[in-house]
Every structure is written in C-alpha cells, then in structure tokens.
Amino acid sequence: MSYSFLRIAREALRGGAGWGRAWRDPAPKPHYDAIIVGGGGHGLATAYYLAKEHGLTNVAVLERGWIGSGNAGRNTTIIRSNYLLPGNEPFYEHSMKLWEGLEQDLNFNTMVSQRGVLNLFHSDATRDAAARRGNAMRLHGVDAELLDTEAVRAFVPVIDFDNARFPIKGGLLQRRGGTARHDAVVWGYARAADRRGVDIIQNCEVTGIRVEQGRVVAVETTRGPIGAGKVGLACAGHSSRVAAMAGLRLPIESHVLQAFVSEGIKPMIDTVVTFGAGHFYISQSDKGGLVFGGDIDGYNSYAQRGNMPLVEDVAEACVALLPQTSRLRMLRSWGGVMDMSMDGSPIIDRTPVEGLYLNAGWCYGGFKATPASGWCFAHTIARDEAHALNAAMRLDRFATGAVIDEKGAGAQPNLH
Amino acid sequence: MRISCPHCGERGSEEFLFRGAADPRRPAAGAAAEAWHEYVHLRDNPAGPYNELWQHQHGCRRWLVVTRDTTTHRIFSVADAALREGVS
C-alpha cells in the first residue's frame, strides 16, 4: 500500500478503515540467504538496500525487542556530514545525500528538516580547528561556512553572547545539516524493506551463532535455529556480546549516553547548535520541546539509564548557552547503550569468520549515519568486499595502525 | 553511584576518574605487536561483573580496582590497585 495525498483523502472519508499494519509479522523461515541481527535503523536500512540495490530478498531482520525500542528511539535526531578525516567525510556525505531523497525513496515521511547545524567556537584555537574542518569538508564537495560573531548573532540570536568565559567568536555552519524524525526512520525502513520481501521478525533474540569449518551456517534464537548463508551483525551497544558468540573479541566498550527533552514551548531555536565550551547540542522538536544532550556518562554500562552528575553537567551547559532555559522543566531523559570504539569511528567490514559481517562501533554518532551505514553494509555483505566509502572502516585497522581518530583522543573510548 | 574508597570511605562517583578494564596487563617492552594490540584495543566488555580501574582523583588519589556490575551498577568490591598480584 503506497502512501499518498489521495490515499489520505480517501481514508479520511472512510474513517481510516483502510489503514493496515505497516509491515507483516512473519514467522521465521528455516533458512535465509542473509540474516541481519538487530532491527535498529542500521539493520533495517541494510536489509532495505540488500533488496533494493543487490536484489537479495530472501533476507530476515531479527530484533530482540520491537522496532524502535533501542537506540533508534534514544538519540537527539541530528543529521550532518561535518567530519574532518578522509576515511569519514565521504561516507557521511553519502549519508546526507541519501537523507535528502529518503522520503521519496521510502514513501514515508521521515520529516527530514535541513535546518542547519552550527558548531560554535570560543577562541582563536577553536576557530582554527573549525576552519580546518570546514576546509576539509569543502575539499570533499560538502557545504561549510565559517561565521563570525555577527553572522552567528543574525543566524541564532537567542543564545547568550555575553558569556565571559566562553565568548561566541563564531561558528562553523553546515546549512544542509539538520534533524530527522528518528522513529519514522526505522518505521520507514522497516516498511520499505518489508514491501520488497524482507522478513522483519520482532521479539526474536539471537542467542548463538553456529560456525562450521570457519563458516557461519545458522543463528540460534529464542524462536529456534535459523539457517543462514550470510549473517550481518548490526547490534551496536551490544556488538561485543553478539560477536563473542562467534568467538570474536572487539575493540569496543559499551557506554551509556543520555538524551533529554524539555517541556514544550513556543518556537525559540530553529536550527541545531552545539556549544563548544563543553560537549552540548540542542535543537527544538516540532512539538516544541527542546531536545538536547551532552557527553556519555564515562564508565562501562549496559543499563539504559544514566547517572545524575551527567544530568547536572548537561543542564549547566544548557543554561550557560541559553540562560532563559533555567526555569524550564526537563520532561524526560533516556539512556542508550553505545558501542564506543577505540578510535571513535565505526566498523563496517567482513570478519575472520566466513559469511559473518560486522557493523559496529558507532559511538554516539550512529543516527546520522543510518542510510549510508545500511547502504555500505549491504554492499559489503552482497559483494563480499567493502565499498570505497567504507574502505577505511576496517576491523583490523587497530592492529595495523590505520585508525580513524577524528578527535585525536587515542585508545580511550570514554573520551571520544 | 557511590564508591567505597578503602582509604576515604563512601564517596560519590563524580570524585573518581574512570580508566577502564583492570585485567589487561601491560606486555613487556619487546613483546610482539599482536600482544600490544590486544592490550591497547581489545576488551571483554561483559554485561555483568567487570574489574575496572578508578582513581580517587578528588580524594586520596589512589588507583583502585572496582568490581562492578555493568548492568545494575552494583559494586561488589573495591581494593587498592597496588595490592593486586603481580604489581609491585
């Protein structure tokens, strides 16, 4: 069933009686050509592009909970491609281009809003770093503008320009960046994959990976064993645990990242702003709530809830940037479990086990990458080799030294 | 989360600095690259009890080995890191 204006008009007249479920609820088949473990944005996008770009439709996505129950619904919905390093930037720009056509492609309103992403800087040194990043982006054909204080004031007048400790000296703006509706992204990919024949199997936890003579043959699940020609792991947050089922030990620690939303208020901030003084990012949802976040809690965690010191830290940054928010009430907060990799960059690669592929290590930058991650992972699985866009995101880069350390923090996952 | 420092008593976790896995041991200087890779990069990352290094940065500044459940944040034991076997 295609969604269209005509369809909405027709259903409005019929009292909505014709709206069915958006995707099927199939029982698992005994064997699939490819199984994707993890029904988050990345896993669903992988299945969608396997079917669309590579003609592979005998595919299942296995999800432990329900679609949208994990990190897909626990992020701050920001999309951008303002990366520095050549191993990253073309990949994220590909993602941005896919975002730009996603709604037409999926026939689903993912509410992609290119409202701009502005990274503030507060000193000569951080201006130099922003200029360097902007130049790197432009060398890759990506839009970037370096704004001075007055241009920032015109673009986002609502922030505090009188901060004595962190004066606003300017910002690096990517106008094509913005936000997308996170739940709609997984729903849209799930529906679009399903329409191409992919089985989306919820409440089906993978409990084992069967490997025979170095080759993956099946997965054990809470709904019985399922044979597989190829298995792709896209379960960031829990990648270490699932990969360990196939005997792999990963360069990843699991940490918790919190996100927050305030009560709904009138339109106040029509872009995405990051405060360079600490680590803080904020935008406003269409419902009026301010959506914001900061750093990870800082120690290993598989708990989907965060600690109070970090709540205080994020609230302090919020009030420093936007003093007028000091009397706003915080409505909700979430904790999502992140794969923090040893260089702060992801892994999309084959593994030493034949037929087993890994999509992991997204740190807290996974949401914006969803389309390109699925696109590149599908290519890697279908062709058994990486695409040029994810060629640097290798699993063995930590052993060879070819790391992608965007922040230059070294092998200390809680600092990325 | 509160951590009971063996020297200072129970304190809030914000007084402490987190370093990571306590079990990996630094290889000898001339060890093979593979051993260094394992030490620097690879982690067990369990969902459950985990031995971690924390420093009581805003207290006695001692390094501690904290055994903590990564799913519940329950702390089972805290000991001075210098008392570990094989550490002088």
Side-chain angles (χ1 to χ4, degrees):
Chain A
M1 181 211 299
S2 257
Y3 294 156
S4 64
F5 176 75
L6 275 179
R7 173 103 205 158
I8 291 172
R10 202 168 126 221
E11 292 305 330
L13 295 174
R14 299 198 309 167
W19 295 124
R21 57 183 305 146
W23 58 85
R24 297 166 295 130
D25 182 26
K29 289 193 252 177
H31 186 275
Y32 290 93
D33 293 339
I35 286 179
I36 307 301
V37 182
H42 292 224
L44 293 165
T46 304
Y48 172 69
Y49 292 116
L50 274 175
K52 186 191 171 206
E53 304 286 346
H54 306 281
L56 231 68
T57 54
N58 186 24
V59 173
V61 177
L62 308 184
E63 165 57 39
R64 173 174 77 148
W66 66 92
I67 300 303
S69 62
N71 290 343
R74 293 166 183 270
N75 55 70
T76 42
T77 78
I78 298 166
I79 59 174
R80 58 185 174 88
S81 59
N82 53 359
Y83 279 73
L84 175 71
L85 298 178
N88 274 335
E89 180 61 3
F91 170 86
Y92 286 101
E93 176 55 16
H94 184 62
S95 209
M96 183 56 75
K97 291 204 171 101
L98 290 170
W99 282 118
E100 287 173 331
L102 196 65
E103 288 156 351
Q104 289 72 23
D105 191 24
L106 299 183
N107 180 233
F108 203 93
N109 184 8
T110 51
M111 295 169 66
V112 172
S113 164
Q114 293 181 287
R115 59 183 70 185
V117 171
L118 177 68
N119 301 139
L120 299 173
F121 50 78
H122 313 277
S123 64
D124 289 347
T126 50
R127 180 197 283 114
D128 289 348
R132 181 185 175 216
R133 178 179 298 263
N135 287 338
M137 291 163 65
R138 293 175 75 127
L139 283 172
H140 284 103
V142 181
D143 69 305
E145 289 169 53
L146 201 65
L147 305 188
D148 61 14
T149 310
E150 286 317 303
V152 171
R153 199 188 294 274
F155 186 67
V156 51
V158 72
I159 59 179
D160 180 15
F161 286 84
D162 299 324
N163 188 318
R165 175 64 184 84
F166 296 105
I168 311 285
K169 293 292 187 188
L172 183 67
L173 173 64
Q174 186 184 21
R175 288 191 195 271
R176 286 164 62 242
T179 60
R181 169 96 162 87
H182 52 4
D183 294 315
V185 173
V186 273
W187 296 335
Y189 270 120
R191 174 171 165 273
D194 176 86
R195 291 174 87 199
R196 288 178 180 268
V198 171
D199 280 0
I200 293 161
I201 301 162
Q202 305 180 64
N203 300 308
C204 180
E205 181 173 356
V206 169
T207 54
I209 297 172
R210 210 183 290 163
V211 177
E212 285 174 11
Q213 287 156 354
R215 186 173 175 87
V216 69
V217 292
V219 294
E220 313 279 351
T221 79
T222 49
R223 294 173 70 170
I226 308 174
K230 294 177 174 184
V231 174
L233 307 182
C235 28
H238 290 258
S239 295
S240 298
R241 299 178 59 216
V242 181
M245 294 172 190
L248 301 179
R249 201 157 166 253
L250 301 183
I252 284 172
E253 289 181 0
S254 294
H255 288 252
V256 71
L257 176 71
Q258 304 189 59
F260 310 87
V261 64
S262 77
E263 58 188 320
I265 52 172
K266 287 184 177 177
M268 168 178 161
I269 187 161
D270 63 356
T271 181
V272 180
V273 181
T274 74
F275 191 22
H279 186 189
F280 176 77
Y281 32 94
I282 188 163
S283 62
Q284 189 168 16
S285 80
D286 293 352
K287 285 189 290 184
L290 298 177
V291 183
F292 53 99
D295 268 321
I296 51 176
D297 281 13
Y299 44 85
N300 289 43
S301 174
Y302 280 95
Q304 285 183 315
R305 58 186 165 80
N307 66 22
M308 290 310 286
L310 212 286
V311 176
E312 186 178 12
D313 183 63
V314 171
E316 279 171 356
C318 186
V319 172
L321 183 68
L322 296 154
Q324 63 273 56
T325 61
S326 66
R327 298 201 302 184
L328 267 187
R329 276 162 294 207
M330 207 182 273
L331 258 199
R332 291 187 294 274
S333 70
W334 308 264
V337 181
M338 311 283 127
D339 271 12
M340 298 304 295
S341 70
M342 285 291 170
D343 63 357
S345 293
I347 297 159
I348 305 177
D349 200 4
R350 300 184 300 174
T351 71
V353 179
E354 217 181 311
L356 184 69
Y357 304 83
L358 181 67
N359 176 321
W362 289 98
C363 299
Y364 38 78
F367 178 71
K368 76 182 88 68
T370 302
S373 166
W375 196 92
C376 288
F377 198 35
H379 185 282
T380 305
I381 292 171
R383 307 276 181 90
D384 209 31
E385 62 179 14
H387 189 274
L389 290 169
N390 63 311
M393 297 173 178
R394 297 171 62 99
L395 174 59
D396 68 1
R397 69 177 184 265
F398 302 93
T400 61
V403 293
I404 318 170
D405 197 343
E406 186 85 17
K407 199 174 170 186
Q412 185 65 26
N414 64 335
L415 296 184
H416 287 300
Chain B
M1 188 166 76
R2 295 179 70 78
I3 298 173
S4 290
C5 173
H7 308 292
C8 311
E10 190 184 288
R11 301 293 177 90
S13 65
E14 58 269 39
E15 285 188 15
F16 297 80
L17 172 84
F18 179 76
R19 179 64 183 83
D23 291 337
R25 291 300 164 91
R26 192 180 178 85
E34 182 55 35
W36 280 101
H37 165 57
E38 209 167 292
Y39 170 71
V40 175
H41 297 125
L42 300 187
R43 294 291 177 266
D44 289 335
N45 196 19
Y50 193 35
N51 298 326
E52 309 169 319
L53 285 172
W54 291 73
Q55 188 193 19
H56 196 186
Q57 194 179 29
H58 300 295
C60 59
R61 299 189 62 78
R62 296 295 296 176
W63 281 96
L64 309 172
V65 176
V66 176
T67 305
R68 182 180 63 92
D69 191 316
T70 58
T71 61
T72 62
H73 303 322
R74 185 178 159 202
I75 291 172
F76 301 102
S77 67
V78 185
D80 194 295
L83 302 177
R84 287 188 298 171
E85 268 179 56
V87 177
S88 56

